[in-house]
Amino acid sequence: MRIVLTGGTGVIGRAAVPSLLAAGHDVRLVTRSARADAVAHQLGVRSVRGNVLDLDSLEAAFAGADAVVNLASHVPVGHSAFLASAWRRQDLLRTAGVRHVVEAARRAGVRRVVQEGASYLYADQGDDWITEQSPLEITAMTEPAAVGESLVQDFSCGSRTGVVLRFGTIVGDDPQTRYWLRAVQAGRRIGMGHPEGWSHVVHTDDLGEIVRCALHAPSGVYNVGAEPVQRHELVQGYADAMGVESRSFIGPVGRWWIGPRFEPQARSLRVCSDHFASMTGYQPHRPKFDAGWLDAALQRCTSASH
């Protein structure tokens, strides 16, 4: 299959390209700069000029594609993620950007669109398991992602397939994981929500295989990730990795300062990803969080400090 990726130079894209190439696919990345072209070259694939905020350029970039995988995102790293202004571009990519992707795919005759989503759309369910049928809680924070999902679902019909992947929080060799490790080392609090609440996580080692399997999934929304982990275990894992005492969770003053951007990140999400596995045969390399998840990020942090 000829696969065109938008956002292919990001964390998920860089993981997806090797998996798609290993499966024998013809992979191309939509890029808008010489720097991104260089990344595509390093990954061993061709680049095509385009911009998810420019419909005409996307239509040209999608010509001849069997499937489009939209991974275009701009997620702020660190505590800036709690500022509304830091999410403006991400919100634009999830609304206007996704709208352009699905319209360009229609015009170019593409039959499959795979869209990156997020499991924080679900309402807090405490200790109850969350499936794709569980209720959502749409707020100002989650609405753009919900809009993007609905656009892809509207793309689906008898002759077209639309797949939404609700990823858990990415942990592993990525900028956010490295940020949290440095924060823990500096004595800052990184715990969000209730310590006994659940977090839906996915390791960077599994991102590429998830995207590859999505190329064979029927239309629909799918939870993707590892087994959920209790939040106190996640925070303890970061502390253990850095060899420091575990810090307490963000307190009421911090939650007030962060405001509504805090709430979706603090929901208890005991998310089940079995449906995706049953429909595609996907099996995670990292099925359950442990200290080894942080090894690659820890090595990078250590190297940068010397």
Side-chain angles (χ1 to χ4, degrees), residues 230-244:
Q230 286 191 293
R231 292 181 177 273
H232 70 87
E233 294 178 351
L234 190 63
V235 172
Q236 186 66 53
Y238 277 83
D240 290 346
M242 299 307 293
V244 299

Side-chain angles (χ1 to χ4, degrees), residues 111-147:
R111 297 302 179 188
R112 177 179 290 267
V113 169
V114 177
Q115 172 65 41
E116 174 193 354
S119 61
Y120 61 64
L121 270 67
Y122 290 111
D124 188 314
Q125 294 295 294
D127 287 332
D128 291 343
W129 282 98
I130 291 174
T131 70
E132 289 81 357
Q133 285 70 50
S134 296
L136 306 181
E137 184 171 349
I138 306 303
T139 65
M141 166 66 178
T142 60
E143 184 177 11
V147 169

Side-chain angles (χ1 to χ4, degrees), residues 35-293:
R35 182 178 180 180
D37 290 341
V39 173
H41 179 73
Q42 292 170 1
L43 292 171
V45 297
R46 290 180 55 187
S47 60
V48 290
R49 271 287 182 264
N51 187 330
V52 295
L53 300 180
D54 181 343
L55 177 58
D56 291 337
S57 72
L58 279 187
E59 182 180 357
F62 292 170
D66 298 300
V68 166
V69 180
N70 183 30
L71 305 173
S73 64
H74 187 78
V75 178
V77 174
H79 283 83
S80 65
F82 300 127
L83 303 176
S85 59
W87 287 86
R88 286 173 184 162
R89 182 167 179 80
Q90 173 73 346
D91 292 347
L92 185 62
L93 292 173
R94 284 290 182 265
T95 52
V98 178
R99 184 176 294 108
H100 290 158
V101 167
V102 297
E103 179 57 26
R106 286 192 186 97
R107 294 184 183 183
V110 178
R111 297 302 179 188
R112 177 179 290 267
V113 169
V114 177
Q115 172 65 41
E116 174 193 354
S119 61
Y120 61 64
L121 270 67
Y122 290 111
D124 188 314
Q125 294 295 294
D127 287 332
D128 291 343
W129 282 98
I130 291 174
T131 70
E132 289 81 357
Q133 285 70 50
S134 296
L136 306 181
E137 184 171 349
I138 306 303
T139 65
M141 166 66 178
T142 60
E143 184 177 11
V147 169
E149 285 196 4
S150 67
L151 291 167
V152 175
Q153 292 177 71
D154 289 343
F155 173 83
S156 305
C157 64
S159 60
R160 294 193 300 262
T161 302
V163 174
V164 175
L165 302 173
R166 285 181 180 157
F167 285 94
T169 299
I170 295 174
V171 179
D173 189 10
D174 70 290
Q176 185 64 62
T177 298
R178 295 191 289 274
Y179 175 88
W180 289 131
L181 285 170
R182 291 191 295 267
V184 166
Q185 187 177 41
R188 296 197 295 271
R189 300 176 180 181
I190 68 168
M192 293 179 286
H194 193 281
E196 298 299 321
W198 296 88
S199 181
H200 183 215
V201 293
V202 58
H203 194 276
T204 49
D205 286 353
D206 286 312
L207 299 176
E209 187 67 3
I210 289 171
V211 172
R212 185 194 69 78
C213 288
L215 295 176
H216 307 287
S219 289
V221 174
Y222 299 92
N223 300 330
V224 290
E227 295 180 22
V229 57
Q230 286 191 293
R231 292 181 177 273
H232 70 87
E233 294 178 351
L234 190 63
V235 172
Q236 186 66 53
Y238 277 83
D240 290 346
M242 299 307 293
V244 299
E245 185 177 346
S246 180
R247 301 288 294 178
S248 59
F249 279 52
I250 296 173
V253 174
R255 293 196 296 269
W256 172 82
W257 179 79
I258 292 167
R261 288 285 164 175
F262 173 89
E263 187 274 329
Q265 310 297 327
R267 296 173 183 175
S268 180
L269 302 178
R270 196 179 187 186
V271 175
C272 176
S273 301
D274 289 352
H275 181 51
F276 184 67
S278 68
M279 297 303 290
T280 65
Y282 166 73
Q283 293 295 326
H285 298 294
R286 304 272 196 158
K288 187 173 183 178
F289 175 78
D290 59 43
W293 277 38

